[in-house]
Amino acid sequence: MSHSYNEQSIQILEGLDAVRKRPGMYIGSTDSRGLHHMVWEIMDNAIDEALNGFGKEINLVIYKDGSISIQDFGRGMPVGKHSSNKSTLEVIFTVLHAGGKFGEGGYKTSGGLHGVGASVVNALCEYLIATVDYNGQQYEMEFKDGGQVVSKLKKIKKVSTTGSMVRFKPNETIFTETEFNYNLIVEHVRESAFLLSGIRFNVLDERTGKSESLYYEDGLIAFLKFLEKKAKPLHEPIHFKGMGSDGIEIDFVAQFDDGYTESTYSYVNLVKTIDGGTHESAFKSALTKSINDFARKNNILKEKDKNFEGIDVREGLTSILLVSIPENLLQFEGQTKSKLGTPEARGAVESFILEHMTYYLEENRSAANAIIAKIQQSADVRLQARKARENARNKNKNAKEERLLSGKLSPAQRRNPKKNELYLVEGDSAGGSAKQGRDSKFQAILPLRGKVLNTERLKLADVLKNEELSTIAYTIGAGVGDDFVVEDSQYDKIILMTDADTDGAHIQVLLLTFFYRFMRPLLEAGKVYIALPPLYKIYSGKKFDYAYSEEELETLKENYSSFNLQRYKGLGEMNADQLWDTTMSPESRTLIRVTIDDFEVADRRFFELMGNQPNLRREWIEENVSFTLEDEFSEELT
Ligand code: 28G
C-alpha cells in the first residue's frame, strides 16, 4: 500500500515538475500575461460553478504580499476521499489534467471540466491555500513550492454557507512579472460580468484600497452601451437570442451609429474568438444579405445598382456575437486557438441572423430606414473615392508630357552635347546642394526621389510607365530600348551621384541595370560615370583634406599632429561649395567610368569602385541576397 502511494506521489511531482520546466506550454508565458492567466484559470472554475447554478457572486482580492484570492459560493470543491487514498481536493490541485490550453491537442472551454488548470496554477506558486465550506464545515489545505503538501485537508471551523476559495502567490523565480495589475483584472472581470448576466463580481485591491463591484442584469446590452463611442446611435439596440441548428445557441446584440468604426466582438462558449471564425463570417454575410435583400425589395437599390458591400454595411456598427456550441462539435483553429473552425456554426449562425435580421428590418421601419440611409452613404463615399482615384490616375497620364518638360531637371545653360554633364542625384536635398554648387554652364542636375524601379525583369512599356525612369530617358533625349541612338545624347557624361552607403549603392545598381538593359550604347560609349564623394574631412585650423577611403584617411592622418575628423554620412552633409570641390569640379573630383566589360564582374568591380568598404559590401549583400547582379548580367552577355 505505502509503496504504491509513494510511487504515485512521485509521479504527481514529476507531473507538476513538467509544468515548472515548461510553463509556457501550460499558461502561455511567464510575463504579465501568464501571471494573469493564472487568475483567469482559477476564476473560470469559480464561474463554471456559478454557471451550473450554484452561487451568484464571485469575490477577488489582491493582497499586499503579492497573492490573490478567488472565492465562489457554490457547492464547495469535493473534500471526500479519492480512490487513491487522498482527498479529492488534493487530487484537483496536484494531478495534471490532460489537454492544456497551450499544449498540443486540447483547448479551453469555460463550462468544461472542473479543476482543469488548478494543478497547473499550483505548480507555479510559492504557496496556495484552498478553503472549502461544505456541509456546515470549513476545510483547508495548503501547498507550497509548486504543489508540495504543507498540511493535509483539515477542519477549520463551523460555517453556515457553502463555497470555495483559492488564495495563491505566484512563484517569483518563475514569473518575470509578479505584480497583479488591478486595472487589467477589473477589465477582464467586467467582460465576464457582461457575458454572465446576473452574477456579481467584487474586486478589492488591499494594496490600494480600490474596489469595484460589477453586475449586469442585461449584460450584452450593457456591453454594447459600454462600447458606445462618441458617435450617435441610429436606433435602439438590436437583440436576438435563441437556438440555431445543431444545438448551437446564439445571443446577438448590435447597434449602428453615425460614426465610421466597425467593432465586432465574438465569443464561443464564453471564450473570446479574436480571430473570428465560421460563426463570425456567417454573421457578417447574413447581415450583408439581409440588408441587400431589404434594399432591393424596397427599391432603395435599383436594378442597375450594385449590392452594398460588407464594409459599407458594417461602417459604424458595434456588434457582439455569443455562441454556445456543444462540446462534441467544438473545433478551434490557428496558433492561439482563437478562431472557430466548427462548420456547423456557419449554417446555424447564418440562417439565424438572416431570419431575425430580415424580420427586424420589416418590423422596425424607422430604424431600418436610418440604417439603410447610413449604409447608402458609406457606399457612395466608397464609390466616389474610387472614382477620384481613377480620375487622378488619368489626369496624371495627360499631364505627363508637360511635367517631363518642366520637370525637376535643372538644365545646363549651354547646349553642348560634347561637353555637357548630367548629374543624377540621390534625394532632393543633395539635389539642392548640387544645383547650387555646380557649374551651371555645362552641368545639369536631375534629383531622384527614393528608390529606382528595378528593371531587371521589366518590359520597356512597364519601364516607361515609371516616372523616374521615363524622366531620365526624356532628359538624355536619345530614345530608349531599340530606338536608342547614342549620338543623340544631350550629354557627354551621365554621372550617378549617391550617398556612399547601402541605399546609394542600391540606387547605383538599379540605375546601371536600367542603362544596361535599355540604353546599352551609352555604356558601350563610356558615357556613364559614378561620382565618388569623400568619406571624411580631416582638418586642423585652416588646414584640411578630404579622404575618399579608409586607407587614404590613415595616410592623411600622418600629415597632422592633431586633427578633427568629420565623417560624411551622405551628400546632404556637404554644403554646395564642398560638394563642388570634392565631387563635381572637373579639377578635383574623382569619377569612375562604368564600361560594359565591368558588368561581367559587375558586383565585384562595383564595390571596389565604391571605395574599399568591405562592411558596406557585406551589409549590402546581406540585405539584398536575392539580387544577383553578376549572374544575371553574365547570363545576358553569353
Ligand atoms: C474559488 C475558486 C475557484 C469549484 C466546485 C464544485 C464541485 C466540483 C468544483 O466538483 C468535479 C464533481 C463530482 C467528482 C461538484 C461539488 C459536484 C458536487 C462540485 C472553484 C468530480 C469537481 N459538489 N467548485 N468542483 N467533481 N470552485 N472555484 O474551483 O464528481 S471547483
Side-chain angles (χ1 to χ4, degrees):
M1 270 307 259
S2 78
H3 175 74
S4 73
Y5 175 82
N6 281 337
E7 220 165 52
Q8 202 178 17
S9 59
I10 287 164
Q11 236 172 29
I12 285 163
L13 286 174
E14 277 175 350
L16 294 190
D17 217 40
V19 179
R20 275 190 301 276
K21 278 207 182 101
R22 308 179 68 186
M25 282 282 289
Y26 299 87
I27 47 147
S29 63
T30 53
D31 53 10
S32 173
R33 244 185 114 93
L35 178 81
H36 290 90
H37 216 106
M38 305 253 279
V39 182
W40 318 149
E41 275 305 325
I42 298 297
M43 201 169 75
D44 280 352
N45 295 339
I47 287 174
D48 280 348
E49 187 63 6
L51 276 177
N52 283 334
F54 305 98
K56 289 199 165 318
E57 201 154 338
I58 290 168
N59 294 333
L60 197 149
V61 181
I62 307 169
Y63 301 92
K64 286 182 177 151
D65 73 342
S67 66
I68 193 164
S69 74
I70 293 113
Q71 180 181 28
D72 69 46
F73 298 90
R75 292 163 292 182
M77 292 184 222
V79 287
K81 268 263 179 297
H82 190 251
S83 53
S84 64
N85 199 25
K86 297 176 176 191
S87 68
T88 308
L89 195 72
E90 186 175 336
V91 172
I92 287 174
F93 282 97
T94 55
V95 176
L96 198 54
H97 294 69
K101 187 183 185 186
F102 299 91
E104 311 93 74
Y107 45 76
K108 201 177 121 74
T109 69
S110 211
L113 287 167
H114 273 316
V116 171
S119 60
V120 168
V121 171
N122 197 14
L124 302 174
C125 277
E126 185 184 315
Y127 72 76
L128 183 145
I129 302 162
T131 311
V132 176
D133 294 351
Y134 174 77
N135 202 16
Q137 184 68 51
Q138 184 166 90
Y139 301 84
E140 196 182 273
M141 179 158 193
E142 190 176 346
F143 307 87
K144 65 162 190 181
D145 298 331
Q148 296 191 48
V149 177
V150 174
S151 59
K152 287 263 168 203
L153 190 69
K154 61 180 180 210
K155 291 181 182 175
I156 301 295
K157 60 176 182 192
K158 296 277 173 216
V159 286
S160 56
T161 53
T162 62
S164 312
M165 176 155 116
V166 177
R167 176 172 173 170
F168 65 93
K169 182 171 189 285
N171 188 321
E172 285 175 5
T173 67
I174 293 172
F175 290 92
T176 56
E177 172 65 67
T178 49
E179 212 166 299
F180 289 115
N181 179 335
Y182 175 77
N183 290 327
L184 184 75
I185 289 170
V186 167
E187 289 322 309
H188 184 97
V189 170
R190 190 194 306 282
E191 191 180 341
S192 300
F194 283 139
L195 300 180
L196 302 161
S197 303
I199 298 176
R200 181 175 293 281
F201 291 83
N202 303 301
V203 183
L204 169 65
D205 189 343
E206 288 198 344
R207 301 169 304 184
T208 60
K210 282 189 197 172
S211 70
E212 199 92 33
S213 185
L214 303 154
Y215 171 85
Y216 303 100
E217 220 148 273
D218 213 341
L220 285 198
I221 299 293
F223 199 171
L224 202 60
K225 295 221 168 97
F226 179 79
L227 294 172
E228 210 168 85
K229 298 156 218 94
K230 282 201 202 80
K232 205 170 127 296
L234 298 178
H235 56 89
E236 288 300 306
I238 299 170
H239 193 176
F240 311 141
K241 190 176 158 86
M243 180 68 83
S245 51
D246 289 296
I248 294 171
E249 278 176 82
I250 298 148
D251 198 353
F252 174 77
V253 295
Q255 189 164 43
F256 289 89
D257 62 38
D258 64 358
Y260 305 101
T261 35
E262 173 198 345
S263 311
T264 307
Y265 291 77
S266 68
Y267 298 82
V268 172
N269 296 3
L270 301 177
V271 177
K272 195 175 195 159
T273 35
I274 301 167
D275 300 323
T278 48
H279 60 323
E280 198 178 301
S281 56
F283 138 65
K284 285 179 178 172
S285 57
L287 178 70
T288 305
K289 183 166 180 1
S290 66
I291 295 283
N292 276 314
D293 288 353
F294 182 86
R296 291 266 170 222
K297 199 172 153 200
N298 292 281
N299 216 25
I300 301 164
L301 279 177
K302 311 278 189 312
E303 207 163 318
K304 63 172 172 44
D305 293 328
K306 285 205 164 123
N307 269 352
F308 296 126
E309 292 184 7
I311 43 164
D312 303 328
V313 172
R314 296 191 303 276
E315 200 175 282
L317 174 70
T318 303
S319 63
I320 306 158
L321 172 67
L322 233 76
V323 298
S324 300
I325 300 180
E327 213 153 330
N328 62 317
L329 294 182
L330 266 184
Q331 209 176 295
F332 285 97
E333 292 172 352
Q335 187 109 80
T336 51
K337 302 271 179 231
S338 53
K339 183 176 180 180
L340 184 71
T342 306
E344 291 86 350
R346 191 184 298 279
V349 174
E350 189 151 355
S351 49
F352 181 90
I353 297 289
L354 184 61
E355 183 189 322
H356 282 78
M357 195 66 202
T358 302
Y359 185 78
Y360 173 88
L361 292 169
E362 290 297 337
E363 294 300 303
N364 298 272
R365 282 302 175 131
S366 71
N369 290 337
I371 291 167
I372 301 276
K374 153 86 192 180
I375 292 170
Q376 178 85 67
Q377 206 179 24
S378 306
D380 289 348
V381 168
R382 176 176 54 78
L383 291 169
Q384 275 166 23
R386 185 177 293 170
K387 210 172 262 165
R389 276 199 306 274
E390 276 163 11
N391 281 345
R393 230 176 267 143
N394 290 334
K395 230 180 254 151
N396 266 348
K397 251 183 224 154
N398 303 334
K400 198 153 206 169
E401 290 286 298
E402 234 168 89
R403 213 173 13 161
L404 285 177
L405 285 168
S406 58
K408 313 168 283 182
L409 176 75
S410 302
Q413 282 162 3
R414 296 183 185 159
R415 234 194 106 126
N416 185 355
K418 297 258 178 303
K419 184 174 189 315
N420 279 9
E421 297 176 354
L422 175 64
Y423 273 87
L424 301 178
V425 185
E426 175 187 4
D428 278 336
S429 80
S433 298
K435 194 177 155 185
Q436 281 174 25
R438 69 182 169 146
D439 183 338
S440 64
K441 285 195 289 297
F442 71 101
Q443 291 181 326
I445 308 295
L446 184 63
L448 303 172
R449 288 195 192 87
K451 284 275 155 84
V452 175
L453 187 70
N454 187 355
T455 54
E456 199 81 68
R457 287 170 187 84
L458 295 183
K459 291 202 296 284
L460 181 61
D462 299 317
V463 169
L464 290 181
K465 274 186 212 141
N466 178 262
E467 197 187 323
E468 214 85 55
L469 295 177
S470 60
T471 305
I472 292 172
Y474 185 85
T475 305
I476 293 171
V480 65
D482 291 343
D483 302 333
F484 188 83
V485 179
V486 69
E487 287 74 23
D488 289 346
S489 172
Q490 298 299 300
Y491 301 91
D492 183 54
K493 294 183 174 70
I494 316 288
I495 302 166
L496 319 185
M497 188 160 74
T498 69
D499 294 341
D501 60 10
T502 52
D503 281 350
H506 200 185
I507 291 170
Q508 291 181 7
V509 170
L510 295 173
L511 285 171
L512 291 177
T513 305
F514 171 61
F515 291 138
Y516 183 80
R517 289 205 56 201
F518 299 104
M519 298 185 182
R520 197 174 299 180
L522 209 57
L523 286 163
E524 286 166 344
K527 288 183 182 296
V528 180
Y529 297 82
I530 293 169
L532 201 63
L535 296 179
Y536 296 99
K537 180 182 184 177
I538 181 168
Y539 60 98
S540 175
K542 283 210 160 71
K543 183 179 160 166
F544 68 89
D545 286 287
Y546 295 107
Y548 292 83
S549 69
E550 301 290 340
E551 293 87 87
E552 194 178 357
L553 177 66
E554 291 313 309
T555 316
L556 284 169
K557 277 180 183 171
E558 288 162 19
N559 302 335
Y560 289 78
S561 52
S562 73
F563 58 81
N564 294 303
L565 203 59
Q566 185 185 0
R567 180 176 160 74
Y568 296 119
K569 290 194 200 72
L571 297 168
E573 286 180 25
M574 274 179 277
N575 62 34
D577 286 347
Q578 288 174 324
L579 198 61
W580 167 257
D581 285 340
T582 61
T583 320
M584 297 182 77
S585 161
E587 304 285 291
S588 49
R589 73 188 176 192
T590 308
L591 292 184
I592 297 152
R593 178 186 255 173
V594 185
T595 55
I596 196 77
D597 46 293
D598 287 350
F599 283 99
E600 291 173 65
V601 282
D603 73 333
R604 184 153 40 89
R605 278 283 278 158
F606 188 62
F607 282 95
E608 276 168 20
L609 300 177
M610 277 290 290
N612 283 317
Q613 298 172 74
N615 288 343
L616 275 188
R617 180 185 153 81
R618 198 180 321 117
E619 270 172 39
W620 189 87
I621 290 168
E622 275 165 17
E623 278 174 26
N624 301 281
V625 278
S626 61
F627 195 84
T628 51
L629 191 63
E630 188 174 7
D631 292 355
E632 301 283 339
F633 280 126
S634 4
E635 219 170 73
E636 279 190 57
L637 280 169
T638 51

